[in-house]
Amino acid sequence: MTTGRVNPDFTLEAQGITGLGTVYYNLLEPALIEIALKNNEGNLGQGGTFLVSTGEHTGRSPKDKFVVRTPDVEDTIWWENNKPMDPAKFDVLYADMLEHMKGKDYYVQDLYGGADPANRLDVRVVSELAWHNLFIRTMLRRPELSELDDFTADFTIINCPSFKADPEKHGCRSETVVALNFEKKLILIGNTEYAGENKKGVFTLLNYILPGKGIMAMHCSANHAPGNPVDTAIFFGLSGTGKTTLSADPDRVLIGDDEHGWSDKGTFNFEGGCYAKTINLSAEAEPEIYATCSMFGTVIENMVFDEHTKELDFQDSSLTENMRCAYPLHYISNASPTAMGGHPKNIILLTCDAYGVLPPIARLTPAQAMYHFLSGFTSKTPGTEVGVTEPIPTFSTCFGAPFMPRRPEAYGNLLREKIAKHGATCWLVNTGWTGGAFGVGSRMPIKATRNLLHAALEGTLAEVEFREDENFGFEVPVSVPGVADVLLDPRRTWADKDAFDAQAEKLVGMFKENFEQYLPYIDEDVKAAAIG
């Protein structure tokens, strides 16, 4: 039995998925919430939000993610970073998952990945949980109802949390599995209720497909000046570095908070929603994001709440530090209706430095920008991955290694070419620690970060005096109105200057050691930008 609007020639049965119970196609938010409540998948929150716990998995499971090693991708996948799965094992996994699904109700959303019609990916998401369908409907771009009548998918994602993989039988690591098959245009997800796996699966697909068309796929947020899409800024960074917070600037137009493409026409969002961390979220610091936590249809993930009033506790991280809210982009008043912008005028590389060594902002040459883009230095923050309970300094190439199917140079060279062609100014911004390392120092004041970014985006920062950083060679402003001078010189913020010098030497050594892997693949000017 089927219900809902769908292309009659593109049902699940037409895809060879048969024997299910009721299949609900393209239900809208009210119906999905009603069914999720009926199925006891979560609770109705204030304002019509949906409150849910994802159980054991409160973050992504990168060690359980696989790419099927088929001939069409054999020579283009970065296998050192993407675990291979044997095609025959995948076929068994798929057959076993379909058998497991029989007789159960499923929920289908037909959606777009990409605001640019010329470069979007048409995606079908098949969910065991109604709230997963609500989540992905919120996060991807929604076709008009009339467009569903002839919709066919480029890729299909099947998410079945009750299915447990067999490592020996299916060629995976554990009972949890995320398997991408580019040849069969399928993603299979099993034994995890963490909804972020759905959206990151689509991001991984676009990260493989778009560079083959000369389009840069980016783990970044983006905004532009009011009434001036040409003045676009993009913010690279891993979860927890401030992409969502800093791009949701009330004085600029939000293009998107997480995933974008950069084509010959400009910047475009992959998504139709935002997936914001809510730990310590406040109405004073981030009023618009805070307000979405009591708006109809927002998915509230892994937050502690009062059993009777459903009031959220933004400080209680007992379930996870990675508690989040997923809301449609139009819930932000200054969001772009088109989710598209011009070529980036400013490129910001966000890092969360748990060592307390990097300055709050630095100006980069194009070669230095590629160096830091390939390095991708930051700190994994608690909750974003299973087992991460405190900040861990790490290098994640392109500020998104878990989602990069191709070798890093493919993305680095594309970025460099586009910077050269369009003349973007590049900045490194540290939202991590100052006055000492994690455990000793404190987080960089958000007000100072915002003031520095405003100065960079408005062009006034280019007019101040700069010094050359003795550890990294980039340029650091000496004095900026509205920001304490001492904050701009990390060494001055440390009580123990010798300890700072030792910490800086350690971090420089980590950069040098990490970058050795890229030396055979990069040009001489980027090598010269490398430390030492």
Side-chain angles (χ1 to χ4, degrees):
M1 177 181 176
T2 64
T3 179
R5 194 156 182 172
V6 65
N7 178 351
D9 296 323
F10 194 64
T11 61
L12 289 187
E13 289 84 355
Q15 291 184 272
I17 302 173
T18 60
L20 305 183
T22 301
V23 179
Y24 297 89
Y25 290 94
N26 297 306
L27 296 184
L28 304 185
E29 290 80 356
L32 288 169
I33 291 174
E34 285 181 349
I35 293 173
L37 289 170
K38 181 181 177 182
N39 294 346
N40 295 314
E41 294 177 10
N43 292 273
L44 190 66
Q46 293 185 357
T49 59
F50 191 74
L51 312 177
V52 66
S53 168
T54 62
E56 176 187 358
H57 295 275
T58 58
R60 293 179 293 102
S61 299
K63 294 180 180 179
D64 295 306
K65 184 176 180 180
F66 296 83
V67 175
V68 181
R69 197 162 196 156
T70 52
D72 56 325
V73 299
E74 172 68 37
D75 297 330
T76 49
I77 295 292
W78 180 22
W79 294 113
E80 294 86 350
N81 185 61
N82 294 271
K83 295 182 181 66
M85 176 178 282
D86 182 83
K89 296 284 189 181
F90 178 88
D91 290 344
V92 175
L93 173 67
Y94 185 38
D96 287 350
M97 185 174 283
L98 292 185
E99 184 64 28
H100 174 86
M101 294 166 62
K102 287 186 176 179
K104 300 182 178 71
D105 295 348
Y106 275 82
Y107 308 90
V108 176
Q109 287 290 326
D110 293 326
L111 301 161
Y112 299 141
D116 181 358
N119 295 301
R120 74 186 182 207
L121 188 72
D122 297 354
V123 181
R124 165 165 284 180
V125 182
V126 182
S127 308
E128 180 180 20
L129 298 175
W131 84 262
H132 271 190
N133 231 225
L134 172 66
F135 172 89
I136 202 64
R137 177 173 173 79
T138 298
M139 291 309 305
L140 292 186
R141 302 195 64 81
R142 299 162 286 280
E144 298 293 334
L145 283 177
S146 60
E147 295 179 294
L148 296 173
D149 294 336
D150 57 3
F151 182 98
T152 58
D154 300 311
F155 277 81
T156 296
I157 299 173
I158 301 176
N159 192 318
C160 190
S162 68
F163 176 82
K164 296 183 183 297
D166 181 330
E168 183 175 349
K169 187 178 183 183
H170 301 134
C172 51
R173 186 188 72 101
S174 71
E175 292 181 333
T176 301
V177 66
V178 180
L180 287 72
N181 191 320
F182 285 96
E183 183 177 80
K184 296 197 171 180
K185 302 187 182 305
L186 281 170
I187 297 179
L188 306 180
I189 303 173
N191 196 47
T192 172
E193 292 186 30
Y194 182 63
E197 297 286 14
N198 295 281
K199 86 181 210 84
K200 289 306 183 186
V202 176
F203 185 41
T204 303
L205 293 175
L206 289 165
N207 273 340
Y208 181 79
I209 293 166
L210 293 182
K213 301 178 179 180
I215 298 169
M216 181 67 185
M218 306 177 292
H219 189 210
C220 72
S221 57
N223 62 29
H224 68 72
N228 186 14
V230 173
D231 186 0
T232 293
I234 58 176
F235 303 75
F236 285 101
L238 292 179
S239 297
T241 56
K243 292 196 314 300
T244 298
T245 299
L246 295 173
S247 59
D249 184 335
D251 296 327
R252 292 176 66 86
V253 177
L254 177 67
I255 300 172
D257 82 321
D258 198 35
E259 301 166 3
H260 292 79
W262 185 356
S263 71
D264 289 339
K265 295 190 294 184
T267 309
F268 63 98
N269 193 355
F270 291 165
E271 300 183 308
C274 299
Y275 192 34
K277 294 189 74 173
T278 56
I279 181 73
N280 298 322
L281 189 66
S282 71
E284 294 73 29
E286 299 169 86
E288 293 228 75
I289 298 175
Y290 184 88
T292 69
C293 294
S294 58
M295 298 175 75
F296 181 78
T298 294
V299 176
I300 307 292
E301 205 177 57
N302 296 318
M303 288 191 70
V304 174
F305 57 88
D306 185 279
E307 181 179 347
H308 301 291
T309 66
K310 301 301 188 288
E311 183 177 350
L312 301 170
D313 189 332
F314 292 88
Q315 283 70 50
D316 190 337
S317 59
S318 57
L319 292 178
T320 176
E321 293 269 351
N322 194 38
M323 52 201 205
R324 290 179 179 264
C325 62
Y327 52 90
L329 196 61
H330 65 261
Y331 278 7
I332 301 299
S333 62
N334 63 327
S336 164
T338 65
M340 298 177 70
H343 298 290
K345 183 178 178 181
N346 286 280
I347 295 174
I348 293 93
L349 308 182
L350 295 169
T351 181
C352 175
D353 174 21
Y355 280 88
V357 170
L358 294 174
I361 196 166
R363 184 168 59 190
L364 308 176
T365 66
Q368 288 172 336
M370 184 172 178
Y371 172 76
H372 284 277
F373 180 71
L374 289 175
S375 296
F377 171 71
T378 190
S379 303
K380 291 180 182 176
T381 52
T384 52
E385 291 183 9
V386 175
V388 178
T389 57
E390 64 179 49
I392 300 174
T394 187
F395 291 87
S396 184
T397 186
C398 309
F399 294 98
F403 326 116
M404 301 297 168
R406 297 177 182 267
R407 277 205 57 86
E409 302 80 36
Y411 308 100
N413 287 329
L414 259 177
L415 180 65
R416 185 182 181 192
E417 291 169 8
K418 291 186 178 295
I419 289 172
K421 183 175 181 180
H422 301 289
T425 302
C426 303
W427 307 90
L428 181 70
V429 171
N430 174 27
T431 62
W433 274 257
T434 183
F438 171 74
V440 176
S442 58
R443 283 300 293 263
M444 196 71 67
I446 184 66
K447 184 177 180 181
T449 301
R450 288 192 184 279
N451 287 341
L452 290 168
L453 277 174
H454 282 157
L457 300 183
E458 292 169 3
T460 57
L461 195 56
E463 301 169 3
V464 306
E465 179 185 356
F466 284 79
R467 65 175 176 85
E468 183 177 311
D469 184 87
E470 62 183 12
N471 293 306
F472 291 90
F474 43 50
E475 293 183 317
V476 181
V478 175
S479 181
V480 178
V483 179
D485 290 354
V486 65
L487 199 65
L488 297 169
D489 187 348
R491 192 174 188 271
R492 290 175 60 194
T493 68
W494 283 54
D496 187 338
K497 303 299 189 285
D498 291 338
F500 173 86
D501 293 338
Q503 194 80 306
E505 183 179 358
K506 179 179 179 180
L507 184 58
V508 167
M510 290 175 63
F511 265 85
K512 292 168 70 173
E513 181 180 359
N514 172 74
F515 205 74
E516 287 178 359
Q517 62 183 302
Y518 305 119
L519 294 178
Y521 306 101
I522 60 174
D523 294 338
E524 292 302 318
D525 60 338
V526 181
K527 290 181 182 178
I531 302 166

